[in-house]
Amino acid sequence: MNIELSEEAAEYGRQALEAFKAAGGDGLVQQAEAEPGHRAEQVAPVLAELGAWDLDARGDADELEAAAALCRSAGYWAVPYPVAERLARPADLGTDGLVVVAGTAPAGAVAGLDLRWTAVTPDGRRATAAALPPAAPPRESAFVTGLALTPLDEAGAADAALGLVLPCWTLLGMLDRAIDLAREHVLVREQFGRPLAQFQGVQFQLTDAEVERSGLEMMARYALWSGQANLPEALDDALALRLAALEAAETVFRVAHQLHGAIGFCDESPLSWISRYSQPVRRLPLGLSATRDLLARRLGRHALTGRYGDVAERVTS
Amino acid sequence: MTATATGLTAFRAHVRDWCRTHIPVGWREAQTGVGEEEFVAFQKAWFQELRRAGFAVPHWPAEWGGGMPVAEQIVLYQELAAHDAPRLVLAFVAIHHAAATLLAAGTDEQRRRHLPAILDGEIWVQGFSEPGAGSDLAALRTTARRERGAYVVNGQKLWASGAAHADWCLLLARTDPKAPKRRGISYFLLDMRTPGIDVRPIRQATGESHFCEVFLNDVEVPAANLVGPANEGWRVAQETLGAERGMTMLELAERLGNAGFRRLVELCSRPGPGGARPIGDSPVADRLAALETEVTGLRALCRDLVERHEAGTVGRADASIVKLYYSELLQRMTDFGTEVAGLAAHTELRKPLSSSWESGAWALDFIGSWEWTIPGGTSEIQRTIIAERGLGLPREPKGA
Ligand SMILES: Cc1cc2nc3c(=O)[nH]c(=O)nc-3n(C[C@H](O)[C@H](O)[C@H](O)COP(=O)(O)OP(=O)(O)OC[C@H]3O[C@@H](n4cnc5c(N)ncnc54)[C@H](O)[C@@H]3O)c2cc1C
């Protein structure tokens, strides 16, 4: 198995980063919060320009990898638009996007967009979903709103896996950014007559965060490959990825905030925005313990196969 | 300690009675989603209620309206926490930092002017940090220039919590620009109504803006408002900053261990959407038990700190250990609360003001808890203190 992203996908991701930056960068989410009604107008043209809607994440490996790279770049700038959800749209239902839901109060960060949604539960039950009017402004809700579901079928196991994996790539991009921001901050901010980065206590925290982030990156590639290879345990791998992503996010954001000091809690610091808008991905459809619980139940008697397991070897050989 | 065991039992009964009859019923609901004005009014009214009972400033000397033995103070804070009383948020700096400073280093005149006024509701803010002076507070650059009978202050203060409501400010400013960093700083009492002060709220991640930037432009401070000798402000600040750590930490620890932990257990005992209670799950029960152990440890540490303070045997790193332990435990506990509360917690967008750091709006509490490892000496600074002063390890090499 080769879980490296192709050079094309990596290059596409870099282009996307530049395109989002040119379109406003950090300003995108700030504007969207100020004028939630215009959030699609800001971002959708950039995505169209990047050919995002021509990407078939369910097609070949190249396209799936490009989709993942795009999600990651969108996360880097906290792009206020459900990029991963749109890229995960079901193949057969003619809707615009896919949201994984769980529990009695289905919700997604899809407020105020004129789009048709499909919802899928982790066990593959699909429904048509309509976004309800948001109960709170984005400042408080980060664009999360309730979904009204009309049950459809039970054919969504693959949907659920893809629908879980792509948002983890978005979150990975957010962690990339949080680490970059923390790194830049400690290099520039001086206390006691020298840059914070010169204190080993600061360096070690950042390295711990980086270890978490790179571990997550490996998991993200593996789960992508597992879904692409149609492994029977693709959904378990997607849940394991989600678990790793949520754990990594906790460490990375805790460290990034701690190293920023008080400024990290203020709107003038991009970290505050990234951290706030990372909340929906981290809470929906399942938080840390619920994800862990579901994964544990599903694994039940068998364990994760993983990169070096027998089954994986058989599939690739 | 002077109070006898029977005396303490009677005192506890008295505080319990008082709590039952005086804590406003339903204050949590009433304080959820209220505006600033209502919050301030509620805080001031609650402070006066406590004052009438002799519970507002028990730690002050008797001549100023306190004088409660330490053993009774411990009981008082235990009972207030157990009965989930509102917290004194607004008066915090006034009754602790300002009072400790005035009592330790103020003139009689300054004490007479301010201590009774604090009892009447005067609100104080701490104006120490600056853009370039956070952990390295001694790097502060706000200046106070002596001119005739006054000092003229220029500069900028940052992160002043509650400055928008403050009547007075504890101010550190540089009076001798040529002296070594820590030697040229003086400590002032600044009337927030003085011309030249501009207070701007800073918007925070939690959506509130409880801390402010304070711009000081040719602000005149009468020389009589200098605390301690000129250029000795650093020493005054060091002596009074830690002075109150013991009892205030004990109060917070009691809150975390009483109402806070109870709310967590209630949360875990509530049937979820499927009917099952999280507490029936052994990992959840394990986590709760572990947290309970930690909270118990924290409460014991705080109590020990307070008693050693009284006995004059506090170690140089003891207060740092307590602050580090509390702040990181608070993060773990609110994090766990957020996990268990699940999705519903994230739709709860308002928390009751006047409550403690674990208000039961878990997602917001968790985000708020991150703030705790920063102010009053960050966790890294506390670790440095524990290493150097507690364990006697060498200092980090200069210019490494
Ligand atoms: C909620 C809140 C309320 C506050 N209220 C007030 C107030 O009322 N009045 C007031 O004056 N100030 C207040 N502050 C400011 C507070 O005192 C400062 O934030 C604090 O001193 C840290 O400074 P900083 O934010 O500039 O971070 P920095 O000092 O820039 O630190 C950034 C990071 O570097 C680390 N670091 C710094 N030096 C070292 C070192 N030598 N070794 C290892 N790591 C190091 C820090 O631990 C931190 O993780 C408040 C802050 C907060 C968050």
Side-chain angles (χ1 to χ4, degrees):
Chain A
M1 109 190 60
N2 175 9
I3 66 165
E4 286 297 312
L5 279 203
S6 67
E7 184 41 44
E8 292 76 28
E11 176 54 28
Y12 181 61
R14 284 191 287 274
Q15 283 173 13
L17 265 188
E18 286 307 312
F20 292 134
K21 184 178 177 189
D26 289 326
L28 286 171
V29 65
Q30 300 175 9
Q31 278 170 37
E33 192 175 281
E35 294 180 73
H38 296 287
R39 72 166 168 144
E41 290 158 39
Q42 283 181 320
V43 182
V46 186
L47 288 163
E49 185 75 14
L50 284 163
W53 311 143
D54 304 327
L55 280 179
D56 178 8
R58 295 157 192 268
D60 63 14
D62 289 344
E63 298 213 30
L64 176 60
E65 287 175 14
L70 180 59
C71 292
R72 185 174 184 177
S73 301
Y76 193 88
W77 294 110
V79 168
Y81 192 83
V83 176
E85 289 76 1
R86 289 217 54 194
L87 291 172
R89 69 188 172 276
D92 52 342
L93 297 177
T95 48
D96 301 308
L98 176 80
V99 183
V100 182
V101 297
T104 47
V110 297
L113 299 167
D114 192 15
L115 295 169
R116 294 153 304 152
W117 296 97
T118 298
V120 64
T121 59
D123 54 3
R125 279 175 290 133
R126 300 200 294 185
T128 325
L132 300 170
R139 171 97 205 163
E140 292 171 2
S141 65
F143 297 112
V144 170
T145 194
L147 296 170
L149 305 185
T150 315
L152 208 60
D153 61 25
E154 303 196 343
D159 287 327
L162 184 66
L164 285 166
V165 167
L166 286 182
C168 290
W169 281 83
T170 310
L171 186 54
L172 174 61
M174 291 176 155
L175 303 197
D176 292 339
R177 186 69 196 292
I179 289 195
D180 282 358
L181 287 169
R183 186 176 171 278
E184 284 157 23
H185 182 77
V186 299
L187 284 169
V188 171
R189 168 81 171 160
E190 290 193 10
Q191 288 287 276
F192 303 102
R194 48 177 155 149
L196 291 176
Q198 283 186 14
F199 293 106
Q200 201 165 48
V202 167
Q203 291 182 357
F204 281 3
Q205 292 191 58
L206 203 55
T207 50
D208 286 350
E210 172 59 12
V211 168
E212 286 289 321
R213 191 205 61 81
S214 45
L216 170 61
E217 186 170 349
M218 288 307 124
M219 294 281 286
R221 291 190 201 162
Y222 178 74
L224 202 62
W225 174 85
S226 162
Q228 165 72 24
N230 269 321
L231 297 194
E233 67 271 23
L235 183 57
D236 295 340
D237 289 335
L239 284 167
L241 167 62
R242 179 161 177 83
L243 189 59
L246 299 185
E247 284 174 346
E250 281 201 13
T251 305
V252 170
F253 279 110
R254 180 167 40 72
V255 168
H257 271 291
Q258 184 66 18
L259 295 185
H260 269 71
I263 191 86
F265 298 118
C266 304
D267 272 6
E268 62 196 271
S269 129
L271 178 68
S272 174
W273 292 85
I274 303 273
S275 160
R276 212 140 38 81
Y277 280 86
S278 77
Q279 294 296 327
V281 200
R282 294 163 66 185
R283 308 299 171 197
L284 293 169
L286 298 164
L288 190 59
S289 37
T291 304
R292 191 183 287 129
D293 186 51
L294 179 60
L295 180 63
R297 274 174 219 281
R298 286 186 49 88
L299 291 180
R301 291 137 306 174
H302 65 98
L304 278 178
T305 309
R307 206 180 153 180
Y308 305 104
D310 286 331
V311 178
E313 292 304 318
R314 262 203 318 278
V315 169
T316 46
S317 57
Chain B
M1 248 175 270
T2 50
T4 61
T6 42
L8 270 191
T9 313
F11 180 71
R12 192 181 292 278
H14 164 64
V15 178
R16 282 188 181 163
D17 260 0
W18 185 88
C19 285
R20 277 188 216 109
T21 46
H22 288 81
I23 295 174
V25 177
W27 69 266
R28 281 183 171 274
E29 294 69 33
Q31 279 282 290
T32 303
V34 294
E36 289 279 301
E37 256 171 58
E38 253 177 277
F39 162 70
V40 172
F42 179 76
Q43 280 283 322
K44 292 199 168 186
W46 178 238
F47 183 74
Q48 291 310 320
E49 194 74 79
L50 287 164
R51 177 192 181 182
R52 280 191 287 277
F55 296 162
V57 290
H59 57 294
W60 287 12
E63 55 178 312
W64 297 108
M68 188 184 285
V70 164
E72 287 188 8
Q73 289 181 48
I74 295 175
V75 168
L76 173 66
Y77 288 121
Q78 285 174 339
E79 292 303 323
L80 287 173
H83 289 86
D84 195 20
R87 271 198 79 219
L88 290 178
V89 180
L90 203 57
F92 194 84
V93 174
I95 61 175
H96 295 299
H97 302 126
T101 306
L102 292 167
L103 289 167
T107 61
D108 275 345
E109 177 63 36
Q110 288 168 339
R111 288 180 201 153
R112 272 199 303 274
R113 162 65 187 82
H114 290 294
L115 292 176
I118 288 174
L119 278 179
D120 288 338
E122 197 171 81
I123 302 301
W124 284 68
V125 62
Q126 191 183 67
F128 286 9
S129 307
E130 296 182 8
S135 297
D136 185 10
L137 182 58
L140 63 89
R141 288 164 69 172
T142 292
T143 56
R145 202 177 58 241
R146 182 81 201 231
E147 267 182 27
R148 290 178 299 277
Y151 286 87
V152 179
V153 179
N154 279 286
Q156 178 189 358
K157 293 291 170 180
L158 210 54
W159 320 128
S161 304
H165 307 297
D167 303 304
W168 283 80
C169 173
L170 299 170
L171 179 80
L172 287 181
R174 193 164 292 287
T175 34
D176 183 353
K178 292 197 203 78
K181 254 167 83 176
R182 299 182 176 187
R183 301 266 172 73
I185 295 171
S186 298
Y187 201 128
F188 297 97
L189 311 174
L190 168 66
D191 183 340
M192 291 296 280
R193 286 166 314 185
T194 321
I197 303 179
D198 182 12
V199 176
R200 297 185 203 162
I202 304 171
R203 205 130 183 245
Q204 284 167 254
T206 43
E208 320 144 299
S209 31
H210 91 133
F211 44 47
C212 304
E213 256 174 315
V214 180
F215 293 91
L216 303 157
N217 219 327
D218 284 335
V219 178
E220 263 193 47
V221 180
N225 288 1
L226 178 69
V227 186
N231 297 325
E232 296 276 327
W234 182 259
R235 192 179 49 74
V236 174
Q238 289 301 308
E239 277 170 13
T240 54
L241 260 183
E244 289 306 318
R245 189 58 34 98
M247 203 51 91
T248 57
M249 289 314 298
L250 181 125
E251 193 219 332
L252 289 169
E254 288 300 319
R255 298 234 171 220
L256 197 63
N258 273 284
F261 193 72
R262 262 201 329 260
R263 255 193 297 284
L264 192 61
V265 174
E266 269 162 32
L267 174 74
C268 294
S269 313
R270 226 177 276 156
R277 294 163 207 277
I279 205 166
D281 229 21
S282 44
V284 171
D286 278 0
R287 283 284 292 279
L288 269 182
L291 286 170
E292 158 82 333
T293 313
E294 288 192 272
V295 173
T296 307
L298 174 73
R299 290 166 78 179
L301 263 184
C302 288
R303 195 178 170 135
D304 185 55
L305 180 63
V306 165
E307 288 174 354
R308 291 222 260 159
H309 214 284
E310 171 89 340
T313 58
V314 191
R316 295 171 70 209
D318 291 357
S320 294
I321 292 175
V322 167
K323 157 133 201 272
L324 191 64
Y325 193 5
Y326 170 78
S327 52
E328 297 188 354
L329 177 57
L330 179 72
Q331 288 185 349
R332 284 196 291 280
M333 217 162 120
T334 51
D335 187 11
F336 182 59
T338 313
E339 263 190 72
V340 175
L343 268 185
H346 299 278
T347 52
E348 217 165 300
L349 301 166
R350 294 188 174 83
K351 71 177 196 180
L353 299 180
S354 304
S355 71
S356 196
W357 292 86
E358 61 297 325
S359 71
W362 294 104
L364 293 177
D365 287 345
F366 178 50
I367 297 176
S369 79
W370 290 11
E371 287 181 356
W372 248 96
T373 48
I374 308 280
T378 65
S379 294
E380 288 68 27
I381 297 302
Q382 305 299 347
R383 286 190 163 87
T384 306
I385 293 173
I386 296 168
E388 292 174 4
R389 297 189 203 159
L391 298 170
L393 299 176
R395 307 183 70 122
E396 191 144 5
K398 275 246 153 54

